[in-house]
Amino acid sequence: MKCISLIVCLFISSIFSINAQEILSPNKKIKVIVTADNTSFGQVYFKILYKNKTEYVEVLPNSPMGITREDQQFTDNLKFIGESQSKEVNQKYEMISGKRKLCTNLGNEKTFQYVNSNNKPLNIVFRVYNDGVAFRYEFTDKTNSLVNVIDETTTYVFPSNTNRWLQEFIDSYEGFFPFSDSGKTDNKKQEWGFPALFKVNNNPVWMLISEANITANNCAARLSNLKNPNEYKVTYASPRDSFKQVGVKTTLPWNSQWHTLIIGELADVVESTLITDVSEPNQLKETNWIKPGAVSWNYWANNHGSKDYKKVAEYTDLAVVMKWPYTLIDWEWDVMSNGGNLVDAVNYAKSKGIKTLMWYNSGTSWLEPTPNDRMLTAEKRAKELAWLKEIGVYGIKVDFFNGDQQDMMKYYIDILKDAAKYQIMVNFHGATAPRGWARTYPNLMTTEAVYGAEWYNNKPTLTNKAAAHNATLPFTRNVIGSMDYTPVTFSNSQHPHITSYAHELALLVVFESGFQHFADRPEAYNNLPKEPKEFLKNVPVTWDETKLLDGYPGEKVIMARKKGNQRYLGGLNGKDEKQTLKIDFGFLDKADYKLKLIKDGVNDKSFAVEVIKVKRGDVVNVECLPRGGFVAVLEK
């Protein structure tokens, strides 16, 4: 009897030694449970449950949390000491570019307080949204001297039969998102860049993992599943030759970036604004000078075209014909000849009513393309940006950054801040993936960080992979921010494309970017039939609303975007065989609409045009060629 009593006491004791806290999303569909040993020092874990119809299903099993400084460890030596009341976060804000103009940052926030075995404090702040979860670490004590944050034990644990689409990590984030159901690849490092897409454990629940709100006091992170293919650990940027620092050096108090998990049906993921929701609000006092738009771009068809004044003038003339507000003068403009120099080219564009954007080398990585040293220091930036303002340039494209370390994060932010002082818009190339800066510094129009059409100029790889890749990007890379893919090319660069002309046209609606760079030759656009040509002249690049109507990574996508009273649809066939894409108009109001459909013609280099009356509830079947697609305009 005494033995039984002892067992019962030990069981009751074990129950009460584990402290579990819950936090729910406003609509109660997402539940986060945070657990820690309540009587001694140990590991903190969190798990996520998603309400699928009537019951909660576990979509992220117990996953370890923790962070390490060089002077202190906050990992398996944590003791729970308290928690805040759950409070509502409710902010409305506007985006100048992006998938939606009017956004709402609505979630529930709770702070969990811990101390380590040296009695040093750590807070873990969770926000739970209707479309996901965000959390970050906070050191609340104060220091005047620098501390070094070197690592995290944060690990996302998945069941073994989870489907996943991940990009092998490289500094430029220019890679594919191949499908895997095991997490095992030939990638020896097993390192993966953000964002990372998962379909969880055969449930109809998707999760896109990334991060947001990185400041100059953070470095960017990546994921590693080297130890276990189903456990993805957050890993900080590695030191590089010119920057030996590990992690982050900072004074305290300090907070990490937000770790973000967008969760729900596939449409919830695609339409989410969680990355900008958790990012700092707009820091610019005036923004009426920030104007997204379409851009003519000479590099893709003419690799060294910006050295040639006459070629630059041709693309200015193209912008005039196509009613695009901008032209981009790319690398080597500092040695422009054949009839004029850079200032002549800018003045010619001004005389035609076209605004000029200009390319710069960041001066941190590949230094051969010039100009390569005009943005690297505050003094040089001030001199160059003042000159650009004086001659009438509206934006810069800064290329070839060198990693995700803290100094690079500071460099990006310094460029955005300094450019804003001179009312200059910014495009980052050869750069880290978006992490919410477009809300904080809305002069950031777009970022590359994508294996885009530029690669037709470099290797033959994209030719056979483009269709499936294009049908994957709306669910991965483009979810987290504007994407400078340089879409809509009909002729060939160094290597051919085998996507259909209608597929290429659809990229303009399927992909979102504050600057949309049109890369093809003038004759490729001038020789288009009337309907696709008029579409390219008039389609916007910013949106009031975005909806995913149908899709699956690598196979198909149908996107609907709204601007004012008009809706634009884009559809892609990611397969190498014919496919019927079904447009379900259940999202419309009760009015009658006219649908102007531009789709694949009799072959991949022709179009067919159809005008159809549609109303709410109708379904229209669009027959697509292999690697085909369509665009459509809806009007009441």
Side-chain angles (χ1 to χ4, degrees):
M1 189 69 181
K2 288 182 180 179
C3 182
I4 294 173
S5 298
L6 180 61
I7 291 171
V8 171
C9 288
L10 288 172
F11 177 72
I12 293 172
S13 174
S14 68
I15 292 175
F16 287 100
S17 69
I18 300 297
N19 187 286
Q21 304 90 28
E22 289 186 3
I23 179 169
L24 288 165
S25 61
N27 65 3
K28 296 182 171 52
K29 288 196 74 171
I30 298 176
K31 180 190 293 186
V32 174
I33 299 175
V34 182
T35 58
D37 194 316
N38 197 32
T39 59
S40 62
F41 296 94
Q43 185 84 55
V44 176
Y45 295 87
F46 79 108
K47 64 179 177 181
I48 300 175
L49 288 77
Y50 184 83
K51 196 169 188 179
N52 186 11
K53 295 183 179 178
T54 59
E55 61 181 5
Y56 284 103
V57 296
E58 189 176 79
V59 294
L60 190 76
N62 264 350
S63 296
M65 307 187 77
I67 193 165
T68 300
R69 300 195 320 236
E70 196 171 51
D71 65 318
Q72 298 284 335
Q73 179 180 318
F74 299 83
T75 54
D76 56 358
N77 61 338
L78 293 174
K79 183 176 181 179
F80 174 76
I81 60 170
E83 62 182 285
S84 70
Q85 293 292 318
S86 179
K87 68 175 184 179
E88 183 183 75
V89 176
N90 192 348
Q91 303 170 335
K92 296 188 183 300
Y93 65 97
E94 290 191 15
M95 292 291 293
I96 294 175
S97 62
K99 64 185 77 171
R100 183 176 297 111
K101 180 180 180 180
L102 300 176
C103 303
T104 302
N105 176 20
L106 176 64
N108 291 325
E109 178 180 295
K110 187 181 280 191
T111 300
F112 303 107
Q113 299 154 346
Y114 304 89
V115 292
N116 71 1
S117 49
N118 294 325
N119 207 36
K120 296 295 183 181
L122 171 71
N123 286 354
I124 304 178
V125 183
F126 271 92
R127 287 185 184 175
V128 184
Y129 293 82
N130 292 338
D131 60 356
V133 175
F135 65 91
R136 72 181 185 188
Y137 300 101
E138 295 179 347
F139 295 126
T140 57
D141 46 349
K142 296 181 180 180
T143 65
N144 293 321
S145 57
L146 293 175
V147 299
N148 192 180
V149 185
I150 58 175
D151 196 14
E152 292 188 22
T153 50
T154 308
T155 303
Y156 304 107
V157 177
F158 288 95
S160 59
N161 56 345
T162 294
N163 293 340
R164 56 207 92 184
W165 291 260
L166 287 84
Q167 180 185 100
E168 182 176 341
F169 177 80
I170 54 173
D171 287 343
S172 67
Y173 292 79
E174 294 177 50
F176 297 102
F177 290 85
F179 167 78
S180 171
D181 59 4
S182 68
K184 298 176 183 178
T185 68
D186 295 332
N187 174 3
K188 292 182 180 179
K189 287 188 176 181
Q190 292 290 120
E191 286 190 339
W192 313 99
F194 290 127
L197 179 65
F198 300 85
K199 186 175 184 294
V200 183
N201 197 22
N202 293 325
N203 289 308
V205 183
W206 298 76
M207 183 181 298
L208 187 79
I209 297 178
S210 195
E211 59 183 5
N213 201 43
I214 284 183
T215 71
N217 270 342
N218 302 121
C219 64
R222 63 196 70 159
L223 297 174
S224 172
N225 66 339
L226 185 62
K227 292 183 179 180
N228 184 318
N230 298 306
E231 297 182 2
Y232 292 84
K233 179 185 176 299
V234 173
T235 304
Y236 288 169
S238 305
R240 64 177 192 276
D241 290 343
S242 59
F243 190 75
K244 301 294 186 182
Q245 176 182 303
V246 176
V248 176
K249 288 189 177 180
T250 180
T251 56
L252 304 182
W254 174 88
N255 57 261
S256 73
Q257 63 270 45
W258 287 103
H259 302 61
T260 60
L261 304 93
I262 303 173
I263 301 167
E265 297 179 3
L266 202 49
D268 297 321
V269 172
V270 171
E271 297 166 20
S272 174
T273 57
L274 184 61
I275 297 298
T276 51
D277 290 348
V278 299
S279 296
E280 289 297 313
N282 173 25
Q283 300 295 298
L284 307 184
K285 292 181 180 179
E286 294 183 11
T287 59
N288 56 4
W289 52 272
I290 301 172
K291 304 290 185 185
V295 189
S296 66
W297 181 46
N298 65 42
Y299 165 84
W300 186 84
N302 306 274
N303 196 337
H304 300 283
S306 293
K307 294 170 67 172
D308 187 333
Y309 172 84
K310 290 181 180 178
K311 284 290 181 188
V312 172
E314 282 181 17
Y315 279 79
T316 294
D317 295 339
L318 172 64
V320 172
V321 170
M322 298 301 295
K323 299 181 181 178
W324 299 334
Y326 299 105
T327 190
L328 172 65
I329 304 177
D330 215 276
W331 65 2
E332 300 172 319
W333 55 258
D334 54 326
V335 290
M336 189 185 298
S337 60
N338 193 25
N341 59 24
L342 184 278
V343 174
D344 296 325
V346 172
N347 287 334
Y348 179 75
K350 284 195 287 188
S351 75
K352 297 289 186 176
I354 302 300
K355 300 173 181 178
T356 306
L357 315 175
M358 282 169 51
W359 181 95
Y360 285 88
N361 190 326
S362 77
T364 63
S365 180
W366 182 30
L367 302 182
E368 181 181 325
T370 61
N372 62 15
D373 65 347
R374 302 191 189 190
M375 290 287 151
L376 198 51
T377 67
E379 294 76 18
K380 288 181 177 180
R381 279 195 301 277
K383 180 181 178 181
E384 194 72 9
L385 292 166
W387 174 65
L388 294 179
K389 180 71 173 176
E390 179 185 342
I391 65 174
V393 171
Y394 288 81
I396 55 174
K397 171 183 174 181
V398 188
D399 208 343
F400 303 131
F401 289 88
N402 193 11
D404 277 344
Q405 295 80 10
Q406 183 182 4
D407 68 326
M408 285 294 108
M409 299 301 106
K410 183 178 184 301
Y411 189 21
Y412 287 116
I413 293 168
D414 286 346
I415 289 172
L416 291 169
K417 287 180 176 178
D418 290 347
K421 294 174 187 175
Y422 298 89
Q423 299 189 340
I424 300 288
M425 293 173 285
V426 179
N427 170 11
F428 288 136
H429 255 237
T432 195
R435 287 169 162 89
W437 290 328
R439 180 183 178 191
T440 312
Y441 306 103
N443 57 324
L444 177 58
M445 290 288 91
T446 191
T447 302
E448 186 183 26
V450 65
Y451 200 97
E454 181 180 302
W455 279 93
Y456 286 119
N457 206 330
N458 302 334
K459 293 180 179 180
T461 311
L462 190 58
T463 296
N464 293 313
K465 289 190 173 185
H469 179 54
N470 294 345
T472 302
L473 292 173
F475 310 106
T476 51
R477 163 62 183 86
N478 212 183
V479 173
I480 63 171
S482 285
M483 179 177 75
D484 195 16
Y485 178 97
T486 59
V488 193
T489 53
F490 302 109
S491 68
N492 292 323
S493 183
Q494 301 299 312
H495 304 282
H497 71 74
I498 55 175
T499 50
S500 77
Y501 278 18
H503 181 112
E504 289 295 313
L505 194 66
L507 297 180
L508 187 54
V509 177
V510 174
F511 295 163
E512 180 274 315
S513 181
F515 281 153
Q516 285 282 23
H517 288 85
F518 291 92
D520 212 334
R521 298 165 176 83
E523 57 267 27
Y525 298 116
N526 291 332
N527 293 336
L528 286 171
K530 178 183 176 181
E531 288 82 2
K533 188 173 182 179
E534 288 301 309
F535 179 83
L536 288 179
K537 287 180 180 181
N538 297 306
V539 66
V541 303
T542 60
W543 306 102
D544 297 334
E545 181 183 277
T546 292
K547 286 185 177 294
L548 175 69
L549 301 186
D550 192 18
Y552 194 88
E555 296 183 6
K556 61 181 177 179
V557 59
I558 304 176
M559 199 79 78
R561 302 192 192 266
K562 185 179 180 184
K563 182 73 170 183
N565 293 322
Q566 284 194 313
R567 295 181 185 269
Y568 298 81
L569 278 64
L572 301 179
N573 177 12
K575 296 182 177 182
D576 291 329
E577 59 193 46
K578 291 182 179 180
Q579 185 175 188
T580 300
L581 299 183
K582 296 184 179 182
I583 311 173
D584 186 336
F585 289 97
F587 66 95
L588 294 177
D589 56 26
K590 292 184 178 180
D592 292 329
Y593 284 82
K594 179 179 73 174
L595 179 76
K596 188 170 189 177
L597 184 66
I598 307 173
K599 58 183 181 177
D600 291 323
V602 294
N603 57 49
D604 62 356
K605 292 179 173 56
S606 64
F607 299 95
V609 180
E610 211 175 331
V611 178
I612 311 168
K613 290 182 178 180
V614 296
K615 62 183 184 301
R616 182 177 181 177
D618 286 351
V619 176
V620 173
N621 294 328
V622 183
E623 302 295 330
C624 293
L625 294 174
R627 303 171 299 280
F630 71 86
V631 293
V633 181
L634 263 176
E635 293 180 326
K636 285 189 177 182

